[in-house]
Amino acid sequence: MQLKDSYDVIVVGAGPAGSSTAEACAKQGLDVLVLERNQEVGVPKRCGEGLSHNAVMRLKLDLPKKCIAQEINCAIVYAPNMKRIDIKFEGTEGYILERKIFDKWLAYNAARAGANILTKAFVHGVIKSDGFVKGVAATIMDEEREIRSKIVVAADGAESLIARKAGLRTNKKLNLVDSGLQYEMGNIKLENPKRIELYFGNNIAKRGYVWIFPKGKDIANVGVGIVPGSGKTAKQYLDAFIESCDELRNGSIIEVNGGCVPVGGLMKNMVANGLVCVGDSANQVNPIHGGGIAESISAGRIAGDVIARAIDANDFSARFLEKYNKIWWKERGEKLQRVEKVREAFEKMSDGQLNDLIDVLSGEDLVAFTRGNNLLKLARVMIKYNMKGIARAVGLG
Ligand SMILES: Cc1cc2nc3c(=O)[nH]c(=O)nc-3n(C[C@H](O)[C@H](O)[C@H](O)COP(=O)(O)OP(=O)(O)OC[C@H]3O[C@@H](n4cnc5c(N)ncnc54)[C@H](O)[C@@H]3O)c2cc1C
């Protein structure tokens, strides 16, 4: 592949957000370059790899079998007192992916659509002039390069630097980022490999939860997400949980992944002159479960359409690109903002209050809340159980 001096669009990062944006742009005939700092797309994975069937249908993803490690048809949610809600589905309700393959599949799709993708290409700066971002400075296979573009896409993940370098305020408040740590474990005892398990409680995972996402009959991603500054590290919570669990205690750790997960702070503005921000870099994650794969793909597609229109109109200004903010907020943001209220409510509850809720909520209720639906029921139950103050504080009452 011959690297050119300029492109219509440069996408920084080849995660789900970057590859989806690149594919959408390339499908509209744009000249696209994707720069990925790692030497292999999808590696290392930093993800529990869970994706709902609902999201697959909504996004019309023609998911190849090789991307799926395990199909899921039920779930258990444990309250702090270990009371449980069983959620059973008619058929396959979700997937534990093999992200190392899935991310590559997305990248190949972008490449097939015509995007040029380069790995081992670290973007360390943006070129700015006349108040516009006009390209990037990058180290590409040990060689320094400046490459121009009409629009740069910051798809560089949760620790994004690119948007900030371009002048966009993407600073994440500490309390709006979960610290995640996960082990991919082998030789564990799973009662049902088609079932995911979630454990809540302030002693188990302050503000977050522990997950067991099976990838085979004796393999699973076992992870924890917590609010930072809770006195213990994510590793301490995760190790304590594993030690307490007969099914996991003797398992082997085949892989360790960690990273931060935005769980709020949805950005009203995700564009600047010559720049669009997508995926984790714009905090586009479901605030209650931390899932960002589907959100990144949705946002990438919306961004791709708006970028194509901007290039067609020869207008790369923030004022034009604003359309992306508007469409994304209408299609995804408003829903995710409702979900954020649910997360805020749960995080303010004591273990006792969480136990009370588990007694009266069903699996369907929990699934609805994670999608920003049926919040009236949550508000009613909270009021019944003397949580009016919390409901009011988060805007549910
Ligand atoms: C522990 C953990 C568990 C998770 N579990 C789930 C889950 O089960 N389900 C789910 O849906 N989501 C989960 N997530 C969230 C999910 O992983 C992200 O939301 C998703 O990957 C976001 O996609 P993205 O493309 O925005 O960012 P990323 O996937 O992070 O991709 C960003 C890419 O940009 C590259 N990059 C960064 N900086 C530069 C640079 N300067 N130059 C060039 N390239 C650069 C990176 O190498 C990376 O490849 C989890 C996250 C964590 C941390």
Side-chain angles (χ1 to χ4, degrees):
M1 178 187 135
Q2 189 66 36
L3 196 58
K4 296 188 293 187
D5 291 330
S6 79
Y7 291 83
D8 289 329
V9 185
I10 294 177
V11 179
V12 183
S19 291
S20 304
T21 313
E23 183 184 3
C25 289
K27 275 185 170 162
Q28 307 237 21
L30 304 185
D31 195 14
V32 184
L33 176 67
V34 183
L35 298 174
E36 165 56 52
R37 71 175 168 196
N38 291 330
Q39 60 191 45
E40 190 176 346
V41 170
V43 180
K45 79 162 185 209
R46 297 205 299 178
C47 188
E49 306 181 280
L51 184 66
S52 72
H53 185 62
N54 185 53
V56 171
M57 298 304 282
R58 177 171 62 79
L59 294 166
K60 297 190 175 63
L61 286 181
D62 192 10
L63 212 54
K65 276 210 167 75
K66 64 182 178 188
C67 295
I68 301 169
Q70 181 66 56
E71 292 188 3
I72 299 299
N73 64 16
C74 53
I76 304 182
V77 176
Y78 287 94
N81 62 3
M82 295 308 273
K83 273 195 181 169
R84 55 191 256 186
I85 293 186
D86 282 77
I87 309 174
K88 291 202 176 73
F89 302 101
E90 297 273 295
T92 297
E93 182 54 28
Y95 306 92
I96 308 305
L97 301 172
E98 195 58 73
R99 268 205 65 181
K100 289 169 192 164
I101 300 176
F102 175 75
D103 281 26
K104 282 197 187 78
W105 173 66
L106 294 177
Y108 284 129
N109 289 344
R112 279 185 201 111
N116 299 284
I117 303 175
L118 257 186
T119 52
K120 217 162 182 273
F122 174 64
V123 177
H124 51 76
V126 293
I127 303 168
K128 282 208 273 188
S129 76
D130 308 325
F132 276 73
V133 174
K134 292 194 172 167
V136 300
T139 312
I140 299 178
M141 308 231 185
D142 302 326
E143 197 189 317
E144 289 305 316
R145 290 289 300 250
E146 284 202 349
I147 312 168
R148 304 252 155 190
S149 65
K150 294 170 181 163
I151 290 173
V152 169
V153 177
D156 50 337
E159 290 110 27
S160 170
L161 287 177
I162 296 307
R164 225 174 305 157
K165 280 182 192 284
L168 209 63
R169 288 169 65 97
T170 61
N171 287 2
K172 293 167 176 55
K173 286 194 190 145
L174 202 59
N175 69 327
L176 294 179
V177 180
D178 269 6
S179 165
L181 182 71
Q182 174 181 272
Y183 302 147
E184 185 169 318
M185 298 187 72
N187 190 32
I188 57 172
K189 293 178 199 142
L190 291 171
E191 199 184 285
N192 178 359
K194 290 193 170 206
R195 183 175 76 201
I196 58 167
E197 295 181 13
L198 306 173
Y199 295 78
F200 288 84
N202 284 309
N203 289 328
I204 289 175
K206 182 97 181 133
R207 212 260 306 265
Y209 63 94
V210 163
W211 63 85
I212 302 178
F213 285 2
K215 294 188 74 176
K217 69 179 172 40
D218 63 352
I219 302 172
N221 288 326
V222 183
V224 69
I226 54 155
V227 62
S230 59
K232 282 197 270 177
T233 62
K235 182 173 185 311
Q236 285 169 322
Y237 280 108
L238 185 56
D239 289 347
F241 178 81
I242 289 170
E243 204 41 47
S244 72
C245 201
D246 289 344
E247 292 79 7
L248 303 174
R249 196 177 303 119
N250 296 319
S252 289
I253 297 171
I254 306 301
E255 195 177 316
V256 181
N257 328 113
C260 64
V261 187
V263 288
L266 300 168
M267 290 159 60
K268 286 286 171 209
N269 177 38
M270 302 170 287
V271 302
N273 288 332
L275 181 107
V276 175
C277 201
V278 287
D280 273 17
S281 74
N283 300 338
Q284 291 165 328
V285 173
N286 183 304
I288 199 147
H289 54 58
I293 300 171
E295 296 306 333
S296 295
I297 296 173
S298 298
R301 290 180 182 174
I302 297 168
D305 277 353
V306 173
I307 290 168
R309 280 194 256 163
I311 288 180
D312 194 40
N314 202 32
D315 184 348
F316 324 126
S317 66
R319 201 187 299 165
F320 192 100
L321 296 171
E322 254 259 310
K323 289 183 176 62
Y324 165 64
N325 292 332
K326 285 216 178 77
I327 300 170
W328 184 81
W329 268 96
K330 188 158 178 281
E331 286 189 13
R332 302 303 308 158
E334 285 167 13
K335 207 176 251 286
L336 294 182
Q337 203 161 42
R338 291 201 296 277
V339 179
E340 192 172 356
K341 287 184 183 178
V342 181
R343 203 255 307 130
E344 284 172 1
F346 282 145
E347 113 186 17
K348 286 184 192 304
M349 289 177 202
S350 65
D351 280 0
Q353 288 169 323
L354 284 171
N355 293 335
D356 286 344
L357 279 195
I358 286 278
D359 280 338
V360 287
L361 294 177
S362 67
E364 288 75 25
D365 292 331
L366 294 184
V367 173
F369 300 158
T370 65
R371 294 177 181 159
N373 300 330
N374 209 9
L375 300 197
L376 211 59
K377 172 154 188 189
L378 179 59
R380 258 193 252 122
V381 171
M382 286 175 70
I383 288 164
K384 185 170 168 204
Y385 283 87
N386 297 323
M387 291 181 247
K388 201 175 190 170
I390 298 180
R392 280 232 178 95
V394 303
L396 281 175

